[in-house]
Amino acid sequence: MTSRIVVIGPGAIGLCVGAALMAGGHEVTFLSRQPFASLSVARKGDPVQVVPARVVTTPDRPGECDWVFLCVKAHQVPSTAEALRAAVGPRTRLAILQNGVEHLENVAPFVPANTDCVPVMIDLPATRHQIGVAEWTRHARASVPKGPSGEAFCALLEGSFIAASVSDDWRSQAWRKLCINAPAGAILALTGQPMGVFHRPGVAEIARAILAECIAVGRAEGAQLEDAILASQMQDFMTADPNAGNSMYEDWRAGRETEWNARNGVIVRKGLAHGVPTPVSAILVPLLAAQNTRSTV
Ligand SMILES: NC(=O)C1=CN([C@@H]2O[C@H](COP(=O)(O)OP(=O)(O)OC[C@H]3O[C@@H](n4cnc5c(N)ncnc54)[C@H](OP(=O)(O)O)[C@@H]3O)[C@@H](O)[C@H]2O)C=CC1
Ligand SMILES: CC(C)(CO)C(=O)C(=O)O
């Protein structure tokens, strides 16, 4: 069955997911801040195909639809309030594709309380090279909570390059992803260097400390995070392509606001609420916040 889907935020994730939905025959409209007419999404090294894209640039234009895929950075959610009002009707399902663990809290102020929201853990290393053009690499996975809406989400992507699955412990999936994003995002954004910086003296120790704090706070929040994550995640960091970046690094490089609060601030905020100490994150978070103000005072 063809669904009418509005993708809010045609960045790296929005373009990739939108292309997967279009390939499945769905009617996809991108709500963009800048116009574009065609879409080109490919796995790194694969041939590029250009297809026409349906795009609107006015927030009140998307109109009510079956699904909204919200693909903006966590701190950009408030700016989509008008678009959400226009696109989310009583029968619309809202998929929130974000890093972090606060998908539902982030959208709650902007949609009616009974909105059918599907938080999505998206593991899809992707870059938007220019408007309408994105490339992804390594793997493409999405995880949503088990239930009718989660299953409907997976059905939309069935047969596409994105492997979507339901989880009966989605909270743990989101925290596991944060175990990647919290150390790697903070360290790459603060040093302005790709993954090879983990081999500089002392850097791996800082990453390990952030990771340990993330695990401790995640457990206090009810996530199942086994001890072995510490070693296996550190191993992944240390064996990563030294030239690889991540979305927070890309934002820093482009002079855009970074997702420091959703990825690192959250560890301090939720740690405080549970009485879990997070001394290393507490030092790094003000630096990450300051990096975004570019204050001249
Ligand atoms: N990139 C990656 O590899 C991965 C990213 N993620 C997560 O997915 C989420 C999206 O990230 P990503 O795709 O990288 O981000 P991008 O910055 O590439 O894309 C965000 C897009 O949203 C647009 N946007 C922002 N505000 C609005 C608005 N009010 N109305 C319409 N469009 C808007 C931006 O437009 P404009 O261009 O005009 O600024 C941009 O096109 C984040 O939470 C990220 O952490 C998760 C896994 C991997
Ligand atoms: C680490 C990565 C690439 C994994 O999907 C990611 O989440 C990001 O860059 O934000």
Side-chain angles (χ1 to χ4, degrees):
M1 200 181 75
T2 301
S3 291
R4 229 180 122 232
I5 303 170
V6 169
V7 173
I8 303 179
I13 294 298
L15 289 172
C16 289
V17 174
L21 293 166
M22 283 165 69
H26 298 290
E27 184 193 306
V28 176
T29 302
F30 294 92
L31 174 69
S32 177
R33 294 197 283 207
Q34 304 162 64
F36 61 101
S38 61
L39 177 75
S40 148
V41 170
R43 186 178 185 149
K44 195 172 183 172
D46 284 357
V48 174
Q49 273 190 347
V50 182
V51 294
R54 184 193 304 258
V55 178
V56 295
T57 52
T58 316
D60 64 1
R61 279 291 160 75
E64 194 176 326
C65 56
D66 302 316
W67 280 89
V68 169
F69 274 49
L70 184 61
C71 302
V72 299
K73 294 270 163 52
H75 53 268
Q76 294 171 327
V77 172
S79 73
T80 67
E82 202 185 326
L84 288 171
R85 240 190 327 273
V88 175
R91 288 188 314 281
T92 306
R93 285 170 161 147
L94 172 59
I96 308 145
L97 292 85
Q98 250 170 41
N99 272 319
V101 293
E102 298 170 298
H103 303 52
L104 299 177
E105 293 97 306
N106 288 343
V107 302
F110 309 107
V111 293
N114 59 353
T115 304
D116 191 350
C117 292
V118 179
V120 184
M121 187 289 286
I122 179 87
D123 192 4
L124 171 57
T127 306
R128 187 186 70 176
H129 293 303
Q130 60 190 74
I131 186 84
V133 180
E135 186 178 66
W136 61 279
T137 179
R138 301 206 296 277
H139 47 247
R141 293 192 286 257
S143 170
V144 290
K146 198 171 186 168
S149 299
E151 270 132 37
F153 174 90
C154 295
L156 292 174
L157 289 166
E158 209 172 297
S160 79
F161 68 89
I162 301 176
S165 58
V166 294
S167 167
D168 50 16
D169 183 13
W170 184 82
R171 184 199 304 264
S172 300
Q173 300 281 336
W175 276 94
R176 273 164 201 273
K177 182 77 196 299
L178 193 60
C179 286
I180 306 173
N181 291 135
I187 286 172
L188 268 54
L190 283 174
T191 61
Q193 295 181 46
M195 288 303 291
V197 76
F198 274 66
H199 296 276
R200 299 277 308 161
V203 174
E205 282 68 27
I206 297 171
R208 188 189 300 275
I210 302 170
L211 179 54
E213 292 177 0
C214 185
I215 292 172
V217 176
R219 284 175 176 164
E221 283 275 298
Q224 300 297 314
L225 301 169
E226 57 277 9
D227 291 345
I229 291 178
L230 195 61
S232 67
Q233 188 53 60
M234 285 308 297
Q235 164 90 351
D236 287 353
F237 289 146
M238 302 316 283
T239 54
D241 173 354
N243 296 313
N246 56 41
S247 60
M248 199 149 135
Y249 173 66
E250 292 301 334
D251 282 340
W252 172 80
R253 277 185 5 136
R256 294 186 293 256
E257 186 173 349
T258 72
E259 256 181 336
W260 62 273
N261 196 17
R263 295 173 182 225
N264 300 96
V266 64
I267 295 174
V268 178
R269 287 186 276 109
K270 291 196 183 284
L272 267 175
H274 291 288
V276 176
T278 59
V280 174
S281 298
I283 289 172
L284 297 183
V285 163
L287 298 177
L288 289 162
Q291 186 180 47
N292 282 272
T293 63
R294 289 175 170 74
S295 167
T296 52
V297 177

